[in-house]
Amino acid sequence: MMAGLCVPAAARRRMWQRFVLACGFLTALAAGAQQTPPPADPAAAPPAAPAVPPADPERAKAELEAAYRREFAFLAAQQDELERQLQKLKQQASDEERAGEDKLAALQNRLLETQNGVRRLEKALLEAERGIADLEDQRGILDASYQQAVASLELQGLAGFAGEAFAAGDDVAKIAALFDAAAGLIEQGGTRRRTAGRFYLEDGREVAGEIVEIGRIAAYGTGPDGAGVLAPAGEGRLKLWPGDNAEAARAVAAGRVPDVLPIFIYESLLKPVEEKTAKSLFQVLDDGGAIAWIIAALGLVALVLIVLRVIFLRGAGADTAKLLAETGELVRKGRMAEALDACRRRAGATSRVIAAAIRNLDRERAHLEDIVSEAILHESSHLNRFGAIIIVIAAVSPLLGLLGTVTGMIATFEVITEFGTGDPKLLSGGISVALITTEVGLAVAIPALLFGNLLAGWAERIKDDMEKAALRIVNLDQERRLGAA
């Protein structure tokens, strides 16, 4: 804390002058006491001056010591004063430091309070924003509910809720109006009304008659030209639904309850309802497009190949047991020529392998087994015929179906881009057509894969039977030779 020490300039000059004077006096005294005069040269010496009595060294020393003590006392007093000032300044600095620390702590507390206040305001702002977002969501839900309710009422023939006057009204008033309209519909739905009107016959003619409405979900029509259950014909009109429903409709019009009550329940009279007929295979393929026809052609090819492969395998493995029994008995008796004739009389891969074994019975066992294996490998190309093509068709068909589905979905999204999503029926129809190719592809792939694997297993069993038969012939010949020996 020496930076705060302040000594007057005049006092510093006096202290310095006294210090220099004392140092010079002490230096001169020491030099006079130690110095001896040089010897005198009588020839060159000037005339002597009058003698001055020398000063008293003891007295000078005493005066110097007294001056030194006074100066020391003065310096000691100055030092004490400076130390007191230093302590005072240290105390003042300490007080100022504590005051600064207290002020800093107060400012830090104030900063923390301000930060907490900012956090509370941010939290309140976030909650307010969430509240506004919730209100907007609720408003959107309410508007969507209005639109749905208005659309549902318009489907039932109630208009007047889509104008600007209704949209500008109070929410409570709009909800009350919608509930009143819905309550009226519910009340009408529980009543049976009889009115005179017109409806269409099955041949398309419009006739006059009596219409009995069951609420707002079903209707029956009776007239001199026809009667029956009525269905929506579009734009609020009705038409007879196909079927033998005339007696039931007349019974309902007369107030009687028939034994069987046919009914066609509808939601609205604005859209026509057509009788759904089952599509033929060719119609389904036409809906699927060119890819569906390609998959169908591959399926037809796979079917032909499966039939041909069945015919080949039946011929290759026919009567294996009978042929083995006949030729084995002849080999046991040593009648090889007759055994070869028996093999030639029977067509098939097994007979050719057994014949190859009989022709080479005189060779060594290892060589004979190699000959039999070669004969089986030669017949394998015939047994495996068309098998790989069937498996390839089974693998490619679903991929082609997926390609057709992707193509159809792209076309559907192009329709959405151009016309929007206002007509769900149009979108669902496009998606349904797009999925037809996948259906056709799976319909071809599943049977092809199933029969392809079954026929491959059948071919492997025929190969095993051929190998067993050939080895049986070889063993019978070995037994015959051992018995003859």
Side-chain angles (χ1 to χ4, degrees):
M1 303 304 293
M2 294 298 294
L5 180 60
C6 181
V7 180
R12 288 199 301 269
R13 285 195 299 271
R14 287 196 302 269
M15 293 172 60
W16 177 253
Q17 291 172 359
R18 291 174 181 175
F19 179 73
V20 171
L21 181 61
C23 291
F25 183 75
L26 290 174
T27 302
L29 182 61
Q34 295 178 1
Q35 184 177 8
T36 54
D41 187 3
V52 180
D56 188 1
E58 294 298 332
R59 182 179 177 183
K61 182 178 181 181
E63 291 177 357
L64 181 60
E65 289 179 355
Y68 177 77
R69 290 191 186 97
R70 286 193 301 271
E71 192 65 30
F72 182 79
F74 176 76
L75 293 175
Q78 290 292 330
Q79 182 182 2
D80 294 338
E81 180 64 24
L82 291 175
E83 289 179 353
R84 284 193 299 270
Q85 291 181 5
L86 179 61
Q87 293 296 328
K88 182 178 180 181
L89 291 174
K90 287 183 177 180
Q91 184 64 35
Q92 183 180 358
S94 178
D95 295 340
E96 291 178 354
E97 183 179 1
R98 284 195 295 270
E101 291 177 352
D102 294 339
K103 187 176 181 180
L104 179 61
L107 291 175
Q108 289 178 347
N109 293 332
R110 187 175 178 182
L111 177 61
L112 291 176
E113 292 177 358
T114 304
Q115 291 176 348
N116 292 332
V118 171
R119 293 192 188 96
R120 287 193 296 270
L121 291 176
E122 290 177 350
K123 185 177 181 181
L125 179 60
L126 181 60
E127 292 178 355
E129 291 176 351
R130 289 177 179 174
I132 293 172
D134 292 339
L135 290 176
E136 291 177 352
D137 293 340
Q138 293 176 4
R139 185 65 192 180
I141 294 173
L142 186 60
D143 292 340
S145 300
Y146 286 154
Q147 295 176 2
Q148 184 178 3
V150 170
S152 299
L153 293 175
E154 287 179 349
L155 288 176
Q156 300 298 328
L158 296 179
F161 296 100
E164 295 181 358
F166 177 79
D170 182 64
D171 289 336
V172 177
K174 289 193 289 187
I175 292 174
L178 292 173
F179 268 103
D180 292 341
L185 287 176
I186 293 173
E187 184 177 357
Q188 293 179 6
T191 60
R192 184 172 67 93
R193 300 183 306 279
R194 186 194 305 268
T195 58
R198 303 181 68 84
F199 56 88
Y200 293 94
L201 299 178
E202 294 185 24
D203 57 4
R205 291 184 296 120
E206 186 179 11
V207 298
E210 187 179 34
I211 298 176
V212 179
E213 293 182 301
I214 307 299
R216 302 184 67 89
I217 60 172
Y220 297 89
T222 58
D225 296 326
V229 178
L230 298 180
E235 300 180 359
R237 295 169 297 182
L238 293 167
K239 64 179 179 180
L240 285 180
W241 190 251
D244 188 12
N245 304 316
E247 294 299 329
R250 291 190 174 92
V252 171
R256 301 191 308 271
V257 179
D259 296 334
V260 178
L261 179 64
I263 189 171
F264 186 94
I265 298 176
Y266 53 81
E267 182 180 2
S268 172
L269 296 177
L270 299 179
K271 295 182 179 180
V273 177
E274 301 294 338
E275 184 178 6
K276 186 177 181 180
T277 58
K279 292 183 178 181
S280 64
L281 177 61
F282 294 104
Q283 290 175 338
V284 172
L285 294 178
D286 284 335
D287 291 339
I291 296 179
W293 282 105
I294 293 173
I295 297 173
L298 290 176
L300 183 61
V301 172
L303 178 62
V304 173
L305 295 180
I306 288 172
V307 173
L308 293 176
R309 188 162 166 74
V310 169
I311 294 173
F312 295 155
L313 293 179
R314 286 191 62 183
D319 299 332
T320 300
K322 293 181 180 179
L323 178 61
L324 177 61
E326 182 179 355
T327 55
E329 184 65 25
L330 293 174
V331 169
R332 183 182 294 110
K333 295 178 180 179
R335 299 157 61 181
M336 305 302 176
E338 297 180 7
L340 288 174
D341 291 337
C343 291
R344 294 190 187 97
R345 286 195 302 269
R346 296 178 182 272
T350 304
S351 62
R352 289 190 289 271
V353 173
I354 293 176
I358 293 173
R359 284 194 297 269
N360 297 276
L361 287 176
D362 55 343
R363 301 179 182 275
E364 295 181 359
R365 177 69 180 233
H367 189 193
L368 181 58
E369 290 179 355
D370 292 338
I371 292 173
V372 170
S373 299
E374 182 181 0
I376 293 174
L377 288 176
H378 180 72
E379 297 296 334
S380 295
S381 60
H382 181 76
L383 294 175
N384 295 332
R385 187 181 301 176
F386 305 140
I389 300 176
I390 295 172
I391 297 300
V392 168
I393 292 175
V396 170
S397 296
L399 296 179
L400 288 174
L402 181 60
L403 175 62
T405 298
V406 172
T407 305
M409 292 300 294
I410 291 174
T412 301
F413 282 113
E414 289 178 353
V415 172
I416 294 175
T417 303
E418 185 174 358
F419 300 103
T421 59
D423 191 355
K425 185 177 180 181
L426 178 63
L427 300 180
S428 61
I431 296 172
S432 176
V433 171
L435 293 175
I436 288 176
T437 54
T438 299
E439 180 184 10
V440 176
L442 293 175
V444 171
I446 292 174
L449 183 62
L450 178 62
F451 284 103
N453 289 326
L454 290 176
L455 294 176
W458 189 4
E460 292 298 326
R461 288 194 299 270
I462 291 175
K463 294 176 186 178
D464 293 340
D465 293 340
M466 288 190 298
E467 185 176 4
K468 292 177 182 178
L471 292 177
R472 180 60 180 166
I473 293 297
V474 173
N475 293 332
L476 289 175
D477 181 67
Q478 293 291 333
E479 293 176 0
R480 179 185 65 81
R481 292 183 180 184
L482 291 175

